[in-house]
């Protein structure tokens, strides 16, 4: 049986006549593929269609009509102003029809413009000359991994444009999860219990789509129904028709993200590593996930009914990451974006930042979110990528709506949920409600200029290469690289990052939008009006245009005068019976309630836990540990030990006290 692919594309050269008369057609046959598999294209024809004017631009239809070995058929039609593959080509319409199914017309939901598949675009959809040229009707062309030769030219009937079903897509706002199932409880489990899950039914997916979901992981069965919906779907890889799958604009490749390169790098971090060496470990951890980049390609290449030839279907991905300040190094590695694992707790991360870095950031939800988003947007801006965030079950209910809407207003592309694993799971009803809220917000603020939003900040905090700035107080969240360690300049990491933290506090309190970037990878500050370089030698450089100001200390912002001062009194007592045993005790007083840091829900009761005192313990071997709670009894190894006890309040005030003890052999 013969199989025909029909591609209808309109082409106009600026100041030139169309490529040929409507109906002009060229027929091609595959060469070099013996005993073709069932799904492979073996012949196709290109036919020119009519010309049209849109907004004073002349377009012409082109039809690509092909033959597949098993006789199945599909049709693709597009209206463009240049030969497919030419730089700067504009596509007015893009249609796709499989066999006798209805034709689908893919459009950008916000602009109404044609929306082509993102997986390689025209380089896959349309043949090119074997030498890479884009000349019409070349004698020999390359298409879908194989060479084809011109066998006939003729004048034919102009293919008609069929009625279409419009599929509006929002590539700039992708709402979804990393799973294809939901919980059956229909509500939150406060204790750290595991939920029971069941695959999405069609009714579930219809409800989610109605709410605004448009990014799905699906099974083969779910994908069959999902193909014609106005949503993106990560392809299940197995089964399906080839090459038809490549022409669906709502098909995402075989995976959607790199999994936590910043955390994965931890297993290779050693105390002797420099910070730039650890940054390289993050780069390598990003690049060491070929199973995700190559999953779609490898699955298709392994099918006996397909031969890919030299067609490369590997595709880059964004990373999904907890350690937000490592995303710069992940984009350095080739990630096309970053999605933050959001566990946003108002009295959690801001107070931890204050405790570790000596700033006084009030625990306001917007301040918390802008700290995280500054890393994401800064890296995306420099590397030309995208960014987004994901709500996790640990996020406070009162913060989650703002997390979505603020990210939207700042230019985020990804809006995801984590939907498994005990307390990290976001229950299904909450997913629906938050998605409805975000979708409503987007309707009220349509037509985002994503490039303008990416470049809206005029101020950037610039960290030294290799540095991270995590709320844990550990570089790369690794205990061997704590804040009391010194860098190559002899300056403690705490001093370097204290400078960054106080400058960030200043920007937050003054309402100045900012990014956080790294002084590496060719960063030159283009587009920023003020650059706050936090130097590894402990100084700060404020650069505005050609002017530079050197500061020895950060610019402390105006802070309110508090009626009561937060205090802490810490004591260390030696055990008379055991010389290596010490008892630590710290008491906080004053300040503004609530005192202490929120560390999440109790795993048994589900009640939120607040820690009044946090201890840092610096051991003789250079290692570090964090102790939570007012009192501790410790058996210590011989050597010099340092302890830091601290507390924080709701105004962002901190109080700390250092204690030291020597333990003899």
């Amino acid at each position: 049986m013969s199989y025909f692919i029909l591609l209808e594309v309109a082409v106009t050269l600026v100041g030139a006549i169309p490529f040929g008369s409507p109906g002009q057609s060229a027929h091609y046959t595959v060469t070099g593929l013996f005993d073709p598999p069932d799904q492979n294209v073996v012949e196709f024809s290109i036919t020119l269609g009519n010309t049209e004017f849109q907004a004073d631009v002349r377009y012409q239809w082109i039809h690509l009509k092909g033959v597949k070995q098993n006789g199945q058929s599909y049709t693709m039609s597009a209206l463009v102003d240049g030969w497919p593959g030419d730089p700067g080509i504009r596509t007015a319409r893009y249609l796709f029809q499989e066999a006798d199914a209805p034709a689908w017309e893919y459009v950008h939901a916000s602009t109404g413009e044609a929306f082509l598949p993102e997986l390689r675009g025209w380089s896959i959809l349309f043949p090119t000359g074997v030498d890479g040229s884009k000349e019409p009707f070349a004698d020999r062309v390359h298409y879908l991994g194989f060479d084809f030769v011109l066998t006939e030219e003729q004048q034919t009937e102009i293919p008609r444009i069929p009625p279409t079903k419009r599929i509006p897509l929002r590539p700039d706002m992708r709402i979804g999860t990393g799973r294809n199932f939901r919980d059956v409880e229909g509500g939150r489990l406060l204790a750290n219990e595991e939920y029971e899950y069941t695959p999405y039914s069609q009714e579930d997916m219809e409800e989610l789509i109605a709410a605004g979901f448009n990014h799905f992981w699906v099974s083969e069965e779910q994908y069959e129904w999902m193909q014609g919906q106005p949503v993106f779907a990560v392809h299940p890889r197995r089964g399906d028709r080839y090459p038809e799958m490549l022409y669906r604009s709502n098909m995402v490749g075989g995976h959607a993200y790199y999994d936590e390169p910043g955390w994965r790098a931890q297993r290779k971090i050693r105390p002797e590593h420099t910070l730039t060496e650890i940054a390289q470990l993050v780069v390598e951890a990003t690049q060491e996930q070929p199973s995700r980049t190559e999953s779609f390609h490898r699955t298709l290449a392994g099918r006996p009914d397909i031969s890919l030839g030299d067609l490369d279907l590997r595709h880059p991905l964004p990373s999904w990451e907890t350690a937000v300040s490592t995303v710069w190094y992940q984009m350095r590695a080739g990630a096309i974006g970053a999605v933050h694992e959001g566990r946003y707790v108002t009295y959690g991360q801001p107070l931890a930042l204050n405790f570790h870095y000596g700033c006084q950031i009030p625990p306001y939800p917007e301040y918390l979110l802008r700290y995280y988003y500054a890393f994401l947007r800064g890296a995306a801006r420099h590397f030309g990528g995208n960014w987004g965030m994901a709500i996790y079950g640990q996020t406070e209910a009162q913060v989650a709506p703002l997390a979505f809407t603020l990210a939207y207003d700042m230019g985020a592309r990804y809006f995801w949920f984590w939907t498994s694993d005990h307390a990290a799971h976001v229950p299904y009803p909450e997913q629906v409600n938050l998605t409805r809220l975000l979708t409503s917000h987007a309707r009220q603020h349509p037509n985002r200029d994503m490039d303008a939003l990416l470049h809206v900040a005029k101020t950037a905090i610039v960290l030294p290469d290799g540095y991270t700035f995590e709320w844990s107080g550990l570089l790369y969240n690794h205990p061997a690289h704590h804040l009391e360690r010194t860098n190559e300049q002899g300056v403690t990491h705490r001093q370097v990052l204290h400078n960054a933290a106080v400058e960030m506090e200043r920007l937050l309190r003054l309402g100045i939008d900012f990014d956080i970037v790294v002084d590496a990878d060719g960063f030159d500050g283009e587009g920023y009006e003020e650059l706050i370089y936090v130097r590894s030698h402990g100084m700060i450089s404020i650069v505005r245009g050609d002017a530079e100001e050197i500061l020895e200390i950060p610019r402390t912002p105006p802070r309110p005068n508090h009626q009561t001062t937060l205090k802490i009194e810490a004591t260390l007592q030696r055990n008379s019976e055991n010389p290596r045993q010490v008892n630590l005790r710290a008491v906080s007083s004053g300040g503004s309630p609530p005192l202490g840091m929120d560390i999440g829900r109790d795993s048994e009761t589900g009640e939120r836990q607040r820690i009044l005192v946090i201890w840092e313990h610096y051991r003789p071997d250079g290692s570090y540990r964090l102790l939570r709670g007012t009192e501790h009894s410790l058996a210590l190894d011989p050597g010099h030990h340092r302890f830091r006890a601290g507390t924080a309040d709701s105004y962002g005030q901190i109080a700390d006290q250092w204690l030291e003890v020597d333990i003899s052999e």
Side-chain angles (χ1 to χ4, degrees), residues 64 81 122 216 329 429 628:
L64 175 68
D81 70 343
W122 284 120
F216 286 85
Y329 309 115
R628 292 170 170 172

Side-chain angles (χ1 to χ4, degrees), residues 531 533 535 540-551:
L531 297 170
Y533 283 92
R535 305 297 190 184
I540 304 169
S541 300
I542 310 297
V543 177
R544 303 182 188 89
D546 296 329
E548 181 178 12
E549 179 184 5
I550 306 298
L551 303 178

Side-chain angles (χ1 to χ4, degrees), residues 118-121 123-125 142-146 242 246 290 292-298 300-301 307-316:
E118 295 177 313
L119 188 65
R120 301 282 195 278
S123 66
I124 286 180
L125 305 179
H142 200 68
Y143 177 54
L144 295 175
F146 293 94
Y242 172 88
L246 304 180
R292 295 172 182 248
T293 301
E294 300 174 1
S295 60
F296 186 59
H297 178 93
R298 290 194 299 182
L300 296 187
S307 179
L308 294 180
D310 63 4
L311 182 62
D312 186 354
L313 296 175
R314 292 174 294 181
H315 55 93

Side-chain angles (χ1 to χ4, degrees), residues 602-639:
D602 183 271
S603 61
E604 295 182 359
T605 67
E607 297 295 326
R608 299 208 73 88
Q609 303 175 85
R610 194 176 294 279
I611 299 298
L612 294 179
V613 175
I614 291 180
W615 293 83
E616 291 181 317
H617 178 198
Y618 297 93
R619 298 184 177 106
D621 62 1
S623 63
Y624 164 97
R625 64 174 166 175
L626 189 72
L627 305 170
R628 292 170 170 172
T630 302
E631 299 183 18
H632 298 276
S633 181
L634 306 174
L636 303 180
D637 294 329

